[in-house]
Amino acid sequence: MSKLNLVFLGLILSPYVVAEVPTPAKLLAYNCFNCHGDNGVSKGGVPSIKGLPANILELHLKNYRDGTQASTVMGRIAKGLNDDEIKELSSFIATLK
Amino acid sequence: MAMHRRDFLKLSALAGLSVSGCGALRETTSSQNLNARVVIVGGGIGGVTAAKYLRRFAPNLQVTLIEPSTEYVTCPVSNWVIGGTRDIKSITQKYDALRTRHGAKVVHDLVTQIDVEAKVVTTKSGAKFNYDRLIASPGIEMKWDSIEGYNEAASEIVPHAWKAGAQTLLLRKQLEEMKDGGVVMIAVPANPFRCPPGPYERASLIANYLKQYKPKSKLIILDAKDNFSKQPLFIQGWKDLYGYDTPNSLIKWVPASEDGKVTAVDVKRKTLRTEFASHQADVLNVIPPQQAGLIARQTGLTNESGWCPVDAVTWESKIHPNVHVIGDASIAGKMPKSAFSANSQAKACAAAVVSLLQGDDPAASKYMNTCYSLLSPKYGISVAMVYQINDDGVIDEIAGAGGVSPATGNKQLEATFAENWYDNIMADIFA
């Protein structure tokens, strides 16, 4: 069943509660919005991240973490993330609409 | 928004197929979930973030946020208003998007009682709200009279300015009215308190104002401790900008070990007393010791420390079930009492509340914090950390992660990021 149909079914059977509980890695992605803006869209010099390709995000985060890419704050944050978290949160940010 | 997401979970599959409003089914768990109600007490950073993200994670949840004020003046960046580089309107946030964009109910009233047995909240106007789960984000209250002579009435003359709004403007006004050559004094409490680097950012931005407009003036920090957040970076910045450690230094910092702890205030004479001395000021700012907001204490959510013990995964109170406490009022291990912390906690708490309402076990997540401080409008520094829950169930720093800006860091870039951070986190919360 398509997602749209699922939601439509939900409307027919309203109130039908659909919920998505984010995984721990997705919750980390939501923490990115604190600096990178609402849903990943920044209002200023900090770059927007919404919808960036997952492989690019993953590469940058790993480079920040390993120090091969210079940063002001990202290196300090990326050092708190493991490979699996980086992969999942990057994939999630890439899907943001 | 929900339509674009993967991993749909039904909050209540059985209830979804049942007839809406069927009284006979109301007592079952699934039908309770069908009409699950979450009440949020407090419309600050934690409360508003929780409301928005609850609705994002579970769009049909009934979310009611109760907050007396119709707008929220943020503590973050209020030091910039005190320093005169930003106006208060630019740090005043509204609740409109929470209602119109996210579908939460916002009630402007004061919560006077939380009945944790009946799961009912009562407000000053007499309204009652039932809840399945409650999230309290009550912030802080001053511990009046813990410094002799400093109570709520005294704060109308000598501001604390540790809750933003009228207090912020009062301190700003007093600085504007002070003569050149005056002495500004800031009394700083021992840990823990809201915004650990805040007093030192405030001192810096007041010094920035004095340097430009009242250069014969001095600023003295009387501190109840010997170390403070980002201390080496602040000291370096004060040397770079305000002549610190020279005879002409604009800023003087007096640690507890050098008789810095303030024990009494005479607001009429504008004097501070420490154990061995009395200090005369022209403008006084007393930041008193703090505790969890009043409703948390009235509800018995606090322990002997004055703060609220909570589960590090769900933020559920260790004292009263079905009540969660986030933000400055909570005991959050190594996380500082900051806006970023409250926001990070609120998102995890929102996820945990939805899990619990579904009957699932909430998963432990990591947390983050980043705090920028300005030492002048073009000189920024930061501290960042990622946290995890350790084997004892306590939130701990991840070894090797986080830390402060490097001494050789780009201060101007971090000042720009500080401003971006404010705009972006406020959009994440209030837009």
Side-chain angles (χ1 to χ4, degrees):
Chain A
M1 198 184 303
S2 79
K3 287 168 191 170
L4 196 64
N5 282 341
L6 249 183
V7 171
F8 191 55
L9 180 69
L11 290 176
I12 293 171
L13 297 171
S14 182
Y16 177 94
V17 180
V18 280
E20 183 217 4
V21 178
T23 60
K26 284 184 188 171
L27 266 176
L28 276 172
Y30 287 118
N31 279 266
C32 301
F33 299 170
N34 293 20
C35 295
H36 291 277
D38 187 24
N39 212 37
V41 181
S42 174
K43 294 180 159 203
V46 175
S48 293
I49 52 172
K50 184 181 98 165
L52 287 180
N55 60 332
I56 300 288
L57 287 164
E58 198 178 333
L59 183 70
H60 279 294
L61 283 167
K62 285 182 174 169
N63 286 344
Y64 284 138
R65 186 181 62 185
D66 304 339
T68 49
Q69 188 170 341
S71 64
T72 49
V73 72
M74 276 313 303
R76 291 181 259 159
I77 289 167
K79 283 187 178 68
L81 309 176
N82 62 39
D83 283 354
D84 290 343
E85 287 162 347
I86 287 178
K87 194 174 183 58
E88 192 185 340
L89 76 85
S90 297
S91 301
F92 175 61
I93 290 167
T95 64
L96 290 172
K97 299 265 180 354
Chain B
M1 208 172 281
M3 280 193 266
H4 299 299
R5 299 230 197 95
R6 298 180 302 164
D7 307 334
F8 278 105
L9 291 170
K10 287 171 278 180
L11 184 57
S12 171
L14 272 176
L17 295 164
S18 71
V19 180
S20 171
C22 175
L25 289 175
R26 290 235 166 201
E27 295 310 305
T28 68
T29 307
S30 52
S31 61
Q32 189 185 19
N33 287 347
L34 172 69
N35 288 314
R37 297 148 303 186
V38 180
V39 169
I40 297 172
V41 179
I45 306 291
V48 178
T49 306
K52 175 173 170 174
Y53 278 85
L54 277 169
R55 295 279 305 170
R56 181 169 182 148
F57 300 153
N60 291 346
L61 208 58
Q62 295 179 47
V63 177
T64 305
L65 181 141
I66 309 174
E67 157 65 40
S69 305
T70 54
E71 42 186 37
Y72 181 70
V73 184
T74 67
C75 271
V77 174
S78 64
N79 282 333
W80 308 12
V81 176
I82 290 166
T85 58
R86 199 145 169 165
D87 68 38
I88 198 135
K89 218 175 156 188
S90 73
I91 62 162
T92 303
Q93 307 292 336
K94 297 191 186 329
Y95 298 101
D96 301 353
L98 195 53
R99 282 194 187 93
T100 57
R101 194 170 161 224
H102 307 297
K105 198 172 162 193
V106 181
V107 175
H108 293 299
D109 204 343
L110 179 71
V111 172
T112 51
Q113 195 198 18
I114 302 170
D115 183 336
V116 295
E117 302 298 328
K119 298 205 271 186
V120 180
V121 166
T122 307
T123 64
K124 196 176 176 186
S125 73
K128 289 188 187 296
F129 299 86
N130 297 295
Y131 64 83
D132 297 297
R133 291 208 167 253
L134 180 140
I135 300 175
S137 189
I140 58 151
E141 292 242 332
M142 307 306 151
K143 269 187 172 168
W144 300 122
D145 293 314
S146 56
I147 295 173
E148 190 190 324
Y150 199 66
N151 53 29
E152 193 162 12
S155 75
E156 301 297 322
I157 302 162
V158 167
H160 52 75
W162 220 240
K163 288 185 180 185
Q167 282 277 308
T168 310
L169 293 174
L170 180 60
L171 181 54
R172 176 66 199 158
K173 182 168 171 271
Q174 292 181 358
L175 288 167
E176 282 173 347
E177 288 170 357
M178 188 184 81
K179 65 179 189 292
D180 189 9
V183 176
V184 181
M185 237 172 256
I186 306 178
V188 183
N191 295 321
F193 62 100
R194 164 180 281 181
C195 191
Y200 313 96
E201 181 192 60
R202 175 172 294 178
S204 307
L205 294 179
I206 292 174
N208 178 65
Y209 166 72
L210 298 177
K211 185 179 173 180
Q212 286 180 66
Y213 298 100
K214 291 161 188 176
K216 291 182 214 147
S217 309
K218 299 275 181 217
L219 183 143
I220 299 169
I221 307 165
L222 292 169
D223 210 326
K225 54 194 178 303
D226 286 330
N227 299 289
F228 61 88
S229 174
K230 297 183 250 189
Q231 185 171 349
L233 288 174
F234 272 110
I235 300 283
Q236 184 58 49
W238 293 344
K239 286 179 181 170
D240 292 345
L241 299 164
Y242 307 118
Y244 192 74
D245 262 355
T246 70
N248 292 323
S249 179
L250 251 166
I251 298 178
K252 185 181 176 193
W253 174 63
V254 185
S257 57
E258 293 170 24
D259 196 30
K261 188 184 173 190
V262 171
T263 55
V265 184
D266 184 332
V267 296
K268 293 227 169 67
R269 294 191 180 138
K270 290 210 182 338
T271 54
L272 291 178
R273 209 167 64 230
T274 57
E275 195 181 354
F276 300 110
S278 183
H279 303 265
Q280 177 71 51
D282 294 286
V283 172
L284 257 187
N285 171 212
V286 173
I287 305 166
Q290 296 147 31
Q291 57 195 335
L294 182 62
I295 190 68
R297 284 181 291 126
Q298 284 176 340
T299 312
L301 292 164
T302 50
N303 66 14
E304 66 288 348
S305 71
W307 307 101
C308 304
V310 292
D311 180 274
V313 177
T314 63
W315 301 86
E316 187 166 8
S317 166
K318 288 185 173 173
I319 299 171
H320 292 306
N322 304 307
V323 176
H324 303 247
V325 185
I326 54 173
D328 292 349
S330 67
I331 298 171
K334 286 278 171 69
M335 294 182 86
K337 298 188 186 301
S338 72
F340 198 124
S341 290
N343 175 291
S344 188
Q345 294 160 10
K347 287 167 180 168
C349 179
V353 162
V354 175
S355 285
L356 289 164
L357 289 169
Q358 288 184 139
D360 294 336
D361 273 342
S365 66
K366 290 181 177 174
Y367 299 102
M368 281 188 199
N369 179 61
T370 302
C371 288
Y372 288 97
S373 302
L374 285 190
L375 282 73
S376 84
K378 290 187 174 172
Y379 192 116
I381 59 173
S382 65
V383 61
M385 185 47 71
V386 186
Y387 305 86
Q388 65 188 0
I389 300 167
N390 68 20
D391 294 341
D392 300 324
V394 175
I395 299 172
D396 207 351
E397 296 176 346
I398 293 177
V404 297
S405 318
T408 54
N410 186 334
K411 307 296 191 297
Q412 182 147 6
L413 186 61
E414 289 222 274
T416 306
F417 284 173
E419 205 158 330
N420 290 167
W421 169 81
Y422 180 75
D423 293 342
N424 282 337
I425 193 172
M426 288 307 147
D428 178 45
I429 301 163
F430 289 95

